[in-house]
Amino acid sequence: MTDALAAMSPAYPLIVGSLAVLLFRRGVVQDALALLAPLAALALVWLVPEGTSVPLQWLGLQLHPVASDWLARLFGTAFALAAAAGVLFALDRRSTMERAAALLYAGAAMGVAFAGDLATLFVYWELMAIGSTLVVLAGGASQAALRYALMHVFGGILFFAGLGIVAAEPGGLALRVFQAGSPGSWLLLAGILVNAGAPPVSAWVADAYPRASWSGAVFLSAFTTKAAVYVLIRLFPGEAVLVPIGLFMAIYALVYALIENDIRRMLSYSIVGQVGFMLVAVGIGSEHALAAAAAHAFVHILYKSLLMMAAGAILRATGEIRLSALGGLAKLMPVTAAAMVVGGFSLAAVPFTAGFVSKSAIMAALADDHAALAWFLLTAVSAGSFLYAGLRLPFFALVNGKAPDTVAPLPVSMKLAMLVMAAFNLAIGFSPALLARLAPPIGAVKVLSADHILFQLQLIVAAGICFGVLLKLLAPKSRITIDFDWLWRELPAAVLGRLIRARKQLQGFFEPVLTTARSGIGERFPVWAVRLLEAGNWRTGDIALAATALLGLALLVAAV
Amino acid sequence: MIAAHLPVLVVLLPLFGGLLAALSRHNEAAFWIALVASIATLAAAAALAGQVMAGGPISYRIGGWDPALGIEYRIDAVSAPILLLVAAMGVAAIVYARRSVTVEIIPERVAWYYTMMLICLAGLLGMAASGDAFNIFVFLEISSLSTYTLIALGRDRRALLAAYQYLIVGTIGATFYVIGVGLLYLSTGTLNFGLIVERLPEITSPRALIAAEAFIVVGIALKLALFPLHAWLPNAYAYAPSSATALLASTATKVAVYLLARYLFAVFGIQRSVGPISVADALMALSLLAMFAASLAAIFQNDIKRLLAFSSVAQIGYITLGLAIANEAGVTGAFLHIMNHALMKGAAFMAIGAILISAGSSKLDELAGIGRTMPVAAGALTVAGLALIGVPGTSGFVSKWYLVLGAIEAGRLWLAILIVASSVLAVLYVGRILEVIWFREPAKRSLEAQAVPLSLLAPTLVLAALTIWFGLDAGFPVELASSAAKALLGVSKGALP
Amino acid sequence: MATPRGILAIEPRRRRVLAIAVVVLLVLVGVDFFVEHHGAFGIDGTPGFAAWYGFASAVFFVALALGWASLAAVRGGRRDD
C-alpha cells in the first residue's frame, strides 16, 4: 500500500482530471470532477510518504517521478488549494478548454514540486508552459498567448541546454545544489529566472496574465512564478546573484504597480515584486531564509489568488477593469470588496493577515544575516506596497468615484471561493503556528510580538498619511508606460525598419560601386552565398560542380 | 522453408508486386496488389528483424554460390531496422496513395505510379539487404530510376524539371559510386563486404583505397543530400506527388545514410584521416553546416512542402552528425533519428499533403487558420513539428537526447550546445507554421477546405501517434538503434587501424 | 469658501481622515517608546523609526514612480495587441 502510494505523484489526479474534464459535457459531473481533482491531489500531497520513490528506468536514465519532503508538501498544498479555489471560483465559466488547461497547468506545477530528478522536473516544467499558454489562450488573446508561449519556449530551451550540460556532470540528473559558475548551471539558472519573471524579461507576467479571462488569471497568478521560486530553493539556495535580481524586481514592480491603471496588470506587477522578495531570501540562503521564502510563496499564492478573484469578480460584474473607470463598488459588491481589502492588506503585510507572518519571516531572516541593504530596501518597498495594494487599489475601486447603477450579480460559487481564500489569509494571520507547521524552520520567529506589530503599524499608517496627502498624484490615469517588453515587441520592428531604410540608403550609395564591381569580378560571389541558402534554385550544373569540387577536394587532400 | 529465403523475398516481393501492378493496367487492382505486396514485405522484414535480434546476422547466398563469386545477402543488426523502416513506410505511403493519387495523378498513370512505388521499395530494400558492393549499385539505380519517375508524375510542371535535375544529379552520384566500387575491386579483388574487410589489411598502397573512399562517399553523399550536395532535394520533395514525397523523405535518404554508415564504419574506418583531416571531422563540419544553413533556409520558405524539405536536409545533418561523433551514444542517436525522423517527416508530409488536397495549397500565406477547419491534419502537422524541434514527449527529443549524450561523452561540449542551438532554428520554422495555421484568422482557402477522407488521415495519424509513442516509450527503437550502433562500432574496431 | 486647488489643497473630509491618521501615528510612536526593541542594525531599533522611514519611503517611491511614468510614457496602444 505504502509502495503504491509512494509512486503516486500528487500531479496525477490533476492531470487525469484535466483529461476527464474533456470527456464529459459541461454539467454536474464535469463540475464535480474538476473540484474533486485538486482535493484528491491535496490528499495525496499528505499521503505520499516522505522520501524518494523507487527509480524508474527510461532511456537509460534513472528517474524519480515522486519525491516528497516538507518543502514539496508546502508547495503542493499551496498549489492544490489554489487549484481547488480557482476551480470553485471558475465554476460557472463556460469554457471546458480553460478548465482542462487549468487542471493540466496545476498538475504540472504539482509535478514540479514533487519531481525527484532534473529530467522529470523539466518534463513537468514544459507541461506547465503548455497548460498556462492554453489558459491564456482560453481568454481569447491569441497574440498575447503566442508571445507568452514564445517566452516560455525560450526559457525552456535555456533550461534544457543547462540540463543537458549538468547531466554530464558526476551528479547526473540528481536534484542538487548548483553554484552559478559553469555554463551549465548559468543556463539552468537563466531558464528558471525567465519563469520567475526576472529582468530583463519581467514584462511577460504583466503582458500575459491580464489578458486571460476573469477566471483564468486566478490560475495564472498561482503557479508558474512560484514553481520557479520552488526550483530555485531546490537548486540554487544561497546563490548570491539572486539578491540583486530580487531587489530589482521588488522595486521595478512597485514602480509599475503604483502607476498602473488596469487592476489585473497592477496585480501582475505585484507578483513580480513579491517573487522579488522570495528571490532575495533564496539568495540569502540560510535555512531560515529558505523556509521564509517558501512560506512567503505559500502565503502569496493565498492572497494573490484572492486579489485576482476580486479583480475577476469586478471584471465579470461590471465588464470593466480599469481603475479610472471604476469606483464606489464597496456597497454594490460587499463580498468582493471585503476580499479585495483582505487580500490587499495581506499583500501589504498588515498585522493579523497571512502576509504579515511570511514577510516578517523574510525580514527576520535578512536581519539575522545582517543583509542591511536588502533589509532597508525591502522595508521601504513594503511601505510602498501598502500604497498600491492596501490603499490605492481599494480606494479608487471601492470608495472613490461614482458607482455604476447596477452590476451583474455574482454566482454563489465565486463568493464562496473568495470567502474561503480570505478565511485562509486571516487564519494564518491570527495563528502563525499554522504556517510554521508547514515550514518548520520559521517556527522560531516570534511574529506577533508587540514591537513587531507596532513597527508594521507605524510603517503602514505613515504610508497611509503619504497616500492621503498625495492622493491626487496617485489618481489612476490611462497611460502606457514602456516596459521590458519593448525589447521584444517594439525593438525588432524598429531595428528592422531602420535596417531596411539603411539598406536602401546604402544601396543608393553603393549601387554604382557595386555595379562596376560586379562586372569586374563577375557575378559569382554574392550569388553563391545566396544559393547556398536558397537551394532548390540551383542550376543542375552547379550541383554537379559542387559534387565534383567536393570529390576533387577529397582527392587533393588525400594526395597531399 | 520460406523463412530461409526471407532475405531475398523481402526484395523480390515488391519487385514482382510491381511487375504485377504494371501488368494489371488497372488502377484499383494495382492498388490492391501494391497493398498486399507491401504488407507481405513488411511481414518479411519484421520476421527478419525478429530473427536477427534473436539469433544474430543472417547470411543468404543467392543460388548457393560462394560469396567470392556470387552475391551474398546479409541481414544484420544494422540493416534489419532499415528494412523494417522502409517496409513499414512503404505500407503507410501506399495506403495514403489510394486517395491522394485520385487528385494528384492523371488516371491513366495511376497503375504505373503504384508500380514505381513498389519498384522503388524493392530497390531501397535491396540496398539494405545486399552485402555485395556492385549489387548495391544495381539496386541504387533501380530505386533512383523509379524515384525519378515518381517525382515526374507530379501534376505541377515544375515536377518535371525537379525530376530531370534529380536524374542528372543522381546519375552523377551513382557514377561516382560505381567508380569507387571499381577502385575497391581493383585493390581487393572482391565485391563482397565481408571479404573486402578481410583483405583490406593486406593492401600495401592505400592510394587507390583513398580514391575509392572519396568517390564512394561523395557519391552516396549526393544521394543522401548531404550539405552542400542537397540542392536537388527541396524541389524534388516539393513538387512530387504527396505520397511519393512521404515515401521518399522517410526512406530514400535514410537508406543512403545506412549505406554511408556501412562504408564508413565497416569498410573504411571512420576515424581514418585522409591527409590532415579525419573523415569524421569533415563529416561533422558538413553536418553542422547542414543543420544550420538548411534550417535557416527553411525559415524563409513560404511553401510548407519546401520548408519541410529544407528541414529534412537539416535533420539529415543530425543523423550524419551522430555518425561523425562515432561513439555508441552518437551512432545510436543517428540510427534512432533515421527511424524517428522517417516517422515524423512522413507524418508531416502526409499532413501537408492532405491539406494540399483539401485546401488546394501548401503555401503558408494561403493557409492561415487552417487548424480551425482541418484540425486533425493540422494537429498531425503540429505533432510532427514539435518532434522536429525535439520537444520532450516526442520521438525527436529521444534521438536528440542521444546525440547530445554522444557529443558530451566524446568530450565535445560545444557540439552539444550547437545541437541544442540549432533546435532554436527549428523552433523558428515550426513556430511560423504553427502560428499561421492555428492563431491566424482563417483565410479564404482555409474556409473552403474540403473534408479529408479517412484513408488519407489514417496513415498520417498512425505516424503521428508513433512519433508520440516513441517519445514516451522509446524502448523498442532504442533497442534496435543501439544494437545497430554496437554492431557498427564492433566491426569498426577490427577493420582498419 | 474657495474650492481647493493644486495637489495639496485638501477637501475637509480628507483633512479629517488625515488628522485622525496623524494622531494614530503619534500615539503609535508614543507607545513605541515603551516596548522592548530587537533591532538588528541599530537604527531600526530606535523608537519611531518605522514611522519616519515608512513615510519617507512612500514619498520616495511615489516620486520615483511618477517620475518614471512621465519619462517612459508612450502614447497610443501597442502595435500587436
Side-chain angles (χ1 to χ4, degrees), chain A residues 523-546, chain B residues 165 227-232 234 293-294 297 301 306 310 313:
Chain A
E523 296 182 337
R524 292 204 91 66
F525 275 108
V527 173
W528 265 108
V530 176
R531 287 266 174 83
L532 219 50
L533 276 181
E534 253 313 298
N537 299 328
W538 287 28
R539 282 174 299 214
T540 313
D542 290 341
I543 307 176
L545 187 65
Chain B
Q165 189 173 49
F227 191 87
L229 307 178
H230 63 293
W232 59 268
Q301 300 305 316
R306 266 176 75 96
F310 273 105
V313 176

Side-chain angles (χ1 to χ4, degrees), chain B residues 50-400:
Chain B
Q51 282 182 22
V52 170
M53 291 318 251
I58 304 167
S59 170
Y60 180 87
R61 294 169 182 188
I62 305 269
W65 289 85
D66 186 75
L69 298 168
I71 293 170
E72 182 199 12
Y73 278 24
R74 200 176 163 78
I75 319 291
D76 59 10
V78 190
S79 49
I82 302 293
L83 288 176
L84 194 58
L85 173 74
V86 173
M89 293 309 301
V91 176
I94 283 168
V95 172
Y96 184 87
R98 179 169 164 78
R99 285 308 290 269
S100 73
V101 289
T102 56
V103 181
E104 292 183 323
I105 312 276
I106 298 168
E108 299 86 73
R109 296 184 187 153
V110 167
W112 290 115
Y113 183 76
Y114 287 118
T115 306
M116 286 305 149
M117 273 185 122
L118 285 172
I119 291 184
C120 181
L121 276 179
L124 294 170
L125 291 165
M127 282 164 74
S130 181
D132 182 283
F134 187 79
N135 192 232
I136 286 177
F137 166 73
V138 174
F139 282 122
L140 179 76
E141 280 296 275
I142 289 176
S143 73
S144 296
L145 290 170
S146 49
T147 304
Y148 310 143
T149 322
L150 281 176
I151 296 170
L153 281 172
R155 272 245 168 127
D156 196 312
R157 290 177 66 85
R158 284 169 293 188
L160 273 182
L161 194 65
Y164 174 73
Q165 189 173 49
Y166 186 29
L167 170 81
I168 305 280
V169 174
T171 309
I172 295 172
T175 312
F176 280 5
Y177 176 80
V178 81
I179 292 174
V181 170
L183 288 167
L184 210 53
Y185 185 63
L186 273 181
S187 351
T188 60
T190 177
L191 289 168
N192 182 282
F193 273 143
L195 293 173
I196 290 174
V197 174
E198 269 174 34
R199 293 181 192 174
L200 275 176
E202 302 156 16
I203 296 165
T204 45
S205 153
R207 234 346 110 82
L209 205 61
I210 291 173
E213 179 170 12
F215 273 105
I216 288 176
V217 169
V218 173
I220 298 174
L222 264 173
K223 292 298 293 185
L224 68 82
L226 181 66
F227 191 87
L229 307 178
H230 63 293
W232 59 268
L233 185 141
N235 282 345
Y237 282 13
Y239 303 124
S242 300
S243 48
T245 307
L247 179 69
L248 295 177
S250 45
T251 57
T253 46
K254 308 296 182 290
V255 174
V257 172
Y258 153 81
L259 206 54
L260 183 72
R262 242 299 94 104
Y263 271 102
L264 284 183
F265 285 93
V267 178
F268 297 117
I270 182 97
Q271 295 303 351
R272 217 159 105 85
S273 50
V274 178
I277 41 173
S278 78
V279 182
D281 288 343
L283 190 60
M284 187 176 291
L286 292 180
S287 308
L288 284 172
L289 274 174
M291 282 154 55
F292 282 91
S295 297
L296 265 180
I299 294 172
F300 295 104
Q301 300 305 316
N302 185 37
D303 186 328
I304 298 184
K305 276 182 100 173
R306 266 176 75 96
L307 187 157
L308 290 173
F310 273 105
S311 149
S312 276
V313 176
Q315 302 288 332
I316 290 165
Y318 286 105
I319 300 174
T320 48
L321 183 72
L323 296 181
I325 291 171
N327 57 19
E328 198 183 317
V331 179
T332 304
F335 269 78
L336 260 181
H337 207 48
I338 287 180
M339 294 182 268
N340 290 340
H341 179 244
L343 295 177
M344 66 179 88
K345 204 42 84 60
F349 274 121
M350 284 182 179
I352 189 61
I355 291 174
L356 177 64
I357 288 165
S358 306
S361 172
S362 59
K363 299 263 191 306
L364 207 48
D365 50 9
E366 294 176 10
L367 289 178
I370 191 78
R372 316 237 177 121
T373 45
M374 300 183 63
V376 180
L381 189 59
T382 305
V383 168
L386 294 178
L388 285 173
I389 299 174
V391 175
T394 61
S395 59
F397 172 77
V398 181
S399 31
K400 276 190 188 165

